[in-house]
Each structure stands twice: as C-alpha cells, then as structure tokens.
C-alpha cells in the first residue's frame, strides 16, 4: 500500500470522550488523514474541533469544502452538512439528512469506500443508533478494513452492535486498543496481514 | 500486423463494487451523454456528490449500474426529468445558519442603509426559503421598500415553487426557532397563514422579488449588484467551475459590494481572494478592488 489511504471514524452518543481517547493516543506523525463524523446538534459550532485539538498532537480542523486531505490531519464533519470525499479532497453537501442524520456516518463511509477502496479504514465507536453499520459494510465490501469498538467498552453499545452485525469480518477491539491497532495498520502496513475476528 | 488479445479475467461482484476508476469513467460518460443529448451540463459538478445522487437514482429505479442508468436516461426523456431534479435541487431551510443572519444585520445592513436603492442577487435560490428569509430581514430593517431581490436558479420547477411561496407547515417550528436565533424582530407566524395544507407566505414579501432562470455554468452576468448571496451552492461544483463562478460574481458586484457564501465555503485558492476583505467570521466578503 503506497498511499496511506484514509481512516474514517463514526460515532454518536458518548463520542466526545471516545474520540478524545483515540486522538490523544495517536502520534503526531500518523500517516493517514482522519475523518471524524460525530452526530451533534445542527447549531453546534467548531467547539468539538477545539476540544479535540487541546488533547491531540494531530492537526484538527472543522472541515471546509474542498479541503485537501493531508496526513496526520483530522477533518471533523461540520454540523448540518454531509461530508464526502473525492480525489483526496473533502466535498461537503447539504443534501437531505439520511435516516435523520446530517452529517451521516453512512453517507461519509460510503463515499470513503467508493473513493479509497482497499485503502479505506472505517471505525465505528459508541452511539445510540445504527448509523455507520451500512457504511462500514460498504467499506469492507469494497476491500477496505473495519474496526468496531467492543460494545462492552462503549458508553452506548447500540451503534457498535449494529456495525458488528452488519460486518461480521470487522475487528472488534476495546476502545483502548484501537489507537495502537490504527498505528500498526497505517504507519507499519507491512505487519497488517493479521486478521482478527 | 498481429494483434495479441489478452485474456482478461472477469471481475467478481456486481458493478456497484467496481473499482473507483471504472466508476469515474461511467459517471463521466453518463454526464457527457446527458450534455450532448439534452444540453444540461453537470460535467463540472463536484464528483463525490453527483456520484451519490446518481447511485440514489439507480437504486430507486431498481437498476444496478451507472451504465444501466445511462441507457435509460439517454432513451427516455422522462428519466432525464427525474435525474434533472435529482441533480439540480438543493435542499435548504428558512434562516439556515441563524448566525449568518445575525452577522448580516450587524455588518451588512449598516452599509446598505447608505444606499438609495439596493440590488441583491440570490444565485441558486432553489425553492426560495432563503429568499423569503432575506425579504423578511430587509423588511424588519426598513430596507425592503428600496430593495430588489433577483432570485435565480437553473431549474424552472423549483423557481415555480419558490414563486408560490408555500412551504411545508411541518417545518414552521424549526423555521420559527431559526428566525428567533437569527435576530427576528417580530413574530414569525405573522408572515404566513396556514393554507392549502402548507404555510402560505405573505405576497408582500415577494413584491420586490424577481424570480428568473439563470444558469451559473453557462449564463453571463445580467446586472450589477450590491449584494450577492450564494450559500451552499458552490459546494456542488468542482474547483474549476467554482473559479469561473467567482469570476462571474466579481464582475457582477459593484465596488464595496458584498458576497455571502455558505459557512463552510471559502475564497481560499480563488484568484479573486485578494480583491475582497472578509467582514465577518460568517463568510461575508466585501469587494475592495
């Protein structure tokens, strides 16, 4: 794998602390761009990006349209927009909410799957609905890899349970093990042959 | 000359699982076909969103590939009509991003007060929610009587809807909340009456509005404006087309005219960036040279 691909993380209820746990543990030289889709109120500003920046060595932005995806940068989907990707760029839309969500994890993951194929890694964390399950299955169907937070460590297990059901081949890991796994997959891809399940 | 024919292993899986490059070829062929057969030019639209919209149409027609949709679209004008709506309608809301309207009241209105007559262009107005929002704001600021809003869209169907001034009644709670947070000075319910199963907005709001068809991709400037509003429309275009439309906006703005973009759009990397100064954290830019 020559291009570092992309890591897409989706979460809802309980997401802030789970994201904090992951982004504070990833090294500043993490080789992939990271996309974060966290459900939140449509009026929320860029506070989420600011809070995450305080605890992370990565560069965290609230995504703007046509942002270039750069390694070790994190792009947080803005409230009330869908985040899509194409050719290494962010592409925002205000298309109708998908299953009540905008941003929708499924919409973002589907786009990541279609654009990055086998270079896509999808991660589903804590949440109280099933958004992300379809998207993660799509990432895996198009050759990418999937990680699901162990529902036992999730503040709300509904979202990871749904993702697990939809993607039996996804790796299920406790939250605290996800950062190290991502580093192995992205920064040392030679060792990523192992398949857990 | 001997031609060696390579044996190509058939690909597994359905077309939906095809590798990204092949998909791009199919999308481009479809859009090229649409352009040559019907004259609608979506070739410079943002790929990621057009791809998503095409796949939604494919799925709702029970098809399985972009090529199958291409065949239907090229041979059936009715399918083209459906696709035209899919590709050209942008969803919006009244007083979407209330913070924008607050900034407009604070930063833009004082400048507009100094003008005897105000010309605004709402480019890509879709079904008109934001046009009515701006009309309400201008009214409350006492500027509506000397304003004219040119509201344009590529799509005649949405313009007709906008002209009708009827919006879904079930959105009124949301719009009322937006209105209040946008700094509304009256009671939102005064602007509409429940009628025909919807909320019919006062015709006084559209008496200074001119709705007309205009295509940002192909049409030229048609006047000079003090304010151009084009929020969350350019995100559907690729960078090259964005640059072209910025050129059109620059040429259509009077000196010190204001350009209002969506809150996640920016002038970065645009040739005209240095011709504007940003007057607010919301994406409001003032032409300064």
């Amino acid at each position: 794998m020559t291009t570092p691909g992309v890591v897409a993380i989706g979460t809802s209820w309980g997401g802030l602390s789970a994201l904090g746990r992951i982004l504070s543990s990833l090294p500043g030289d993490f080789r992939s761009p990271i996309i974060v889709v966290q459900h939140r109120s449509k009026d929320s500003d860029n506070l989420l990006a600011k809070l995450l920046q305080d605890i992370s060595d990565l560069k965290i932005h609230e995504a703007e349209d046509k942002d270039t995806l750069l390694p070790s940068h994190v792009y947080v989907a803005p409230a009330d927009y869908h985040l899509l990707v194409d050719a290494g760029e962010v592409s925002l839309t205000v298309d109708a909410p998908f299953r009540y969500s905008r941003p929708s994890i499924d919409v973002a993951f589907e786009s990541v799957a279609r654009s990055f194929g086998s270079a896509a890694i999808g991660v589903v964390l804590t949440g109280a609905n099933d958004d992300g399950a379809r998207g993660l299955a799509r990432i895996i169907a198009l050759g990418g890899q999937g990680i699901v937070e162990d529902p036992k460590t999730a503040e709300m297990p509904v979202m990871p349970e749904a993702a697990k059901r939809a993607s039996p081949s996804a790796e299920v890991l406790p939250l605290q093990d996800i950062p190290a796994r991502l580093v192995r997959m992205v920064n040392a891809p030679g060792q990523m042959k192992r398949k857990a399940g | 000359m001997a031609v060696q024919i390579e044996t190509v292993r058939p690909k597994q899986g359905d077309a939906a699982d095809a590798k990204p490059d092949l998909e791009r070829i199919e999308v481009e062929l479809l859009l090229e076909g649409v352009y040559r057969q019907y004259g609608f030019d979506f070739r410079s639209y943002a790929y990621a969103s057009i791809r998503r919209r095409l796949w939604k149409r494919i799925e709702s027609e029970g098809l399985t590939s972009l090529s199958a949709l291409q065949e239907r679209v090229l041979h059936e004008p009715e399918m083209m009509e459906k696709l035209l709506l899919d590709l050209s309608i942008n969803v919006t809301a009244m007083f979407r991003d209330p913070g924008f309207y607050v900034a407009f009241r604070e930063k833009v209105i004082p400048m507009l007060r100094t003008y005897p007559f105000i010309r605004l262009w709402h480019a890509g107005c879709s079904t008109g929610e934001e046009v009515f929002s701006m009309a309400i704001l201008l009214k409350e600021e006492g500027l509506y009587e000397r304003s004219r809003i040119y509201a344009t869209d590529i799509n005649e169907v949405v313009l007709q809807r906008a002209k009708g001034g009827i919006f879904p009644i079930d959105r009124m709670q949301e719009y009322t909340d937006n209105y209040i947070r946008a700094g509304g000075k009256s009671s939102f319910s005064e602007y509409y009456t429940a009628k025909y199963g919807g909320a019919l907005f006062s015709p006084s709001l559209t008496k200074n509005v001119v709705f007309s068809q205009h295509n940002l991709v192909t049409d030229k400037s048609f006047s000079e404006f003090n304010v151009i509003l084009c929020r969350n429309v350019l995100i559907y275009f690729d960078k090259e087309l964005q640059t072209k439309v910025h050129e059109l906006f620059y040429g259509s703005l009077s000196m010190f005219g204001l350009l209002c973009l969506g809150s996640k759009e920016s002038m970065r990397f645009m040739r005209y960036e240095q011709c504007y100064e940003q007057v607010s954290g919301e994406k409001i830019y003032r032409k300064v040279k």
Side-chain angles (χ1 to χ4, degrees), chain B residues 118-132:
Chain B
I118 306 158
R119 301 166 67 84
L120 304 95
W121 178 17
H122 216 124
C125 70
S126 195
T127 37
E129 284 83 348
E130 297 186 46
V131 177
F132 281 82

Side-chain angles (χ1 to χ4, degrees), chain A residues 42-43 62 64-67 80-81 85-86 89 92-95 102 107 114-115 138 142, chain B residues 17 20 23-24 47 51-53 96 178 181 232 235-237 239 242 263-264 266 268 283:
Chain A
K42 68 181 163 78
D43 321 312
E62 178 150 290
E64 287 201 346
D65 186 51
K66 306 290 187 284
D67 273 346
D80 216 18
Y81 287 83
V85 293
D86 168 47
E89 280 181 7
L92 300 177
T93 87
V94 290
D95 285 2
R102 185 170 64 197
V107 168
R114 289 192 187 281
S115 293
R138 178 55 90 183
L142 296 190
Chain B
D17 294 344
E23 184 180 57
R24 190 178 288 268
Y47 180 74
R51 167 172 65 185
R52 175 165 185 262
R53 289 176 171 197
R96 186 193 152 98
N178 284 353
R181 284 184 302 113
N232 300 316
I235 52 178
Y236 289 100
F237 297 167
K239 267 187 186 161
Q242 287 183 345
S263 60
K264 300 300 160 195
S266 80
R268 274 173 318 161
K283 299 295 169 58

